[in-house]
Structure formats: C-alpha cells, structure tokens
Amino acid sequence: MRRTRLWIAGALGLALAAALVAGPLRKPALTIHNAHCFGWSVNDTGPRLVTLGDSMAQGNSRVDWGIHGNTSWYSYLVCGDDAPAADGANLGINGATTTQILARTDEALAANPDILVVNGGTNDLARSVPLPRIIEKLRAILDRAHDIDTVVIATVPSSRKVSADDLNDDIRALAAERGIPVAEFAPLLDRPGATFGGVHPTARTAARMAAEVAAVVGVRAT
C-alpha cells in the first residue's frame, strides 16, 4: 500500500511539473532550454564588452535572469572561460528605437566598456521615423561614447515595411566620419534562412554576427 501511495504521489508530481512547464512556466522553460550560457559561466577577463541596441543584441537572452540566449550575438563573445571578451553588459531591448537606446547610454558608460557596440534603427524605420532623425540619435550616442577605446556601429536589417538600405548607407557614412569600424550585420541577416520572420537572427546567424564583431575589433571569436 505504501509503495502504491509513493507511486501515485510521484506520478502526480510529474504531472504537476509537466502542467507547469506546458502552462505558466512554458516561456521560462523555453528560455532556459535556448540559453547559450548562464551568468555564472561568462568570461570575466579580457576587454569588457557592452552593447547598446535592440532585439539584434537581446535576442532570446534574459540578462535579468542571468541567461544569455543562443540568438543573441553578444552571447557568443562572452560565454565561457575561453571567450574573447568579458561580460560587461548586454543592454539590448526588444523593440527599442534609437531614442530609447540613446536614453541607456549612461548605463552603458557606467559599465566601463573597453568595446561598445551600437546597433539600432530598424524599429525607427517601422515607425516611419525620418532617416536624419535616426542618424542624429546614433551620432549623439557616439558623441557621448568618445572616451571609449573601441566603438563599433552596426548596420541593421530592414523592417517588415521599409528597406534599411538608405539607413545603412548613412550608418556607414557616419562611421567613416568618426573613423570607427562597422559591423556588417545587414548582409548576414539578408541570407536565405538567416532569420525568423525576416528580421530576427537564428542561432547560427547570431554566431556569424558575433564573428563579424570579433573581426572588426580584432579579437578571436570562439
């Protein structure tokens, strides 16, 4: 009888756990499943990497939970003891516009980056923000980051409604004006099968984006 009760209790426990994972815990469970690494396993040596951006940086990470997701390029540069950069801060926010990214610049600077990667503009395009205003916000971020050793600006994917070609030309011109490197994300994201829904990178594409950042700043990607 006791063995039967234990078996029933175990079965009920498994059923409850399955129900939680399929219901209210489904999203956290998927987030953990798709982690590239967790906060305790990031690199803390080498140049400190910080990124300011939108979903291209955040991907499926939940940095507030210490989870670095596998669709964030940032994860591939800070995960593991042999990673090429130290975890400074991933300040990417899904859906962020350049105005919102600019508002987090002080937070980025407070993280004491050796390398700062700036990425934004796709969400502005989706909201019909004029190109000069987008570049104005990106220029303001670069102005405030002038004391950082290495600043990189990245090209962006098109929104689902508007091509990013003209914006990317302006981003490249801004980089040339400031003498800073460009991480060419746009060509990587334009490849067939590179994204979910035409915008957000797959894990494989995120790894390629990380390699692009590593190449332009001169560090070895893992």
Side-chain angles (χ1 to χ4, degrees):
M1 178 67 73
R2 185 166 178 239
R3 183 177 299 173
T4 300
R5 287 175 179 171
L6 288 172
W7 184 89
I8 292 172
L12 288 173
L14 288 172
L16 177 60
L20 288 171
V21 169
L25 295 183
R26 181 174 182 274
K27 188 171 182 178
L30 287 173
T31 301
I32 293 170
H33 175 74
N34 292 322
H36 188 58
C37 74
F38 298 93
W40 61 81
S41 60
V42 294
N43 189 21
D44 60 0
T45 62
R48 284 178 61 80
L49 176 65
V50 174
T51 182
L52 270 171
D54 51 27
S55 57
M56 295 300 102
Q58 181 175 0
N60 56 3
S61 294
R62 286 297 303 266
V63 293
D64 52 332
W65 294 358
I67 297 173
H68 295 275
N70 64 1
T71 63
S72 167
W73 64 261
Y74 178 91
S75 304
Y76 294 86
L77 296 180
V78 302
C79 284
D81 292 339
D82 60 347
D87 177 29
N90 182 348
L91 300 179
I93 297 292
N94 289 341
T97 64
T98 50
T99 297
Q100 293 166 321
I101 295 167
L102 173 60
R104 303 195 75 186
T105 304
D106 286 344
E107 188 177 354
L109 299 179
N112 297 316
D114 298 304
I115 300 168
L116 175 67
V117 180
V118 180
N119 178 215
T122 300
N123 296 307
D124 298 73
L125 292 176
R127 291 164 174 78
S128 301
V129 177
L131 292 186
R133 191 175 304 169
I134 300 173
I135 294 299
E136 174 190 329
K137 301 301 180 183
L138 294 173
R139 180 177 280 111
I141 294 170
L142 300 184
D143 286 343
R144 294 169 67 175
H146 67 276
D147 287 334
I148 296 172
D149 290 343
T150 302
V151 178
V152 177
I153 193 166
T155 54
V156 301
S158 300
S159 79
R160 294 184 177 89
K161 298 186 292 184
V162 183
S163 168
D165 289 349
D166 290 342
L167 173 58
N168 285 330
D169 286 344
D170 288 348
I171 286 173
R172 294 179 186 109
L174 176 60
E177 170 193 312
R178 296 303 177 95
I180 63 173
V182 178
E184 288 287 0
F185 287 173
L188 299 175
L189 293 160
D190 283 342
R191 295 180 178 181
T195 65
F196 299 107
V199 177
H200 299 105
T202 64
R204 178 175 294 183
T205 302
R208 288 172 174 160
M209 294 163 71
E212 169 69 7
V213 173
V216 300
V217 301
V219 299
R220 176 187 54 83
T222 53

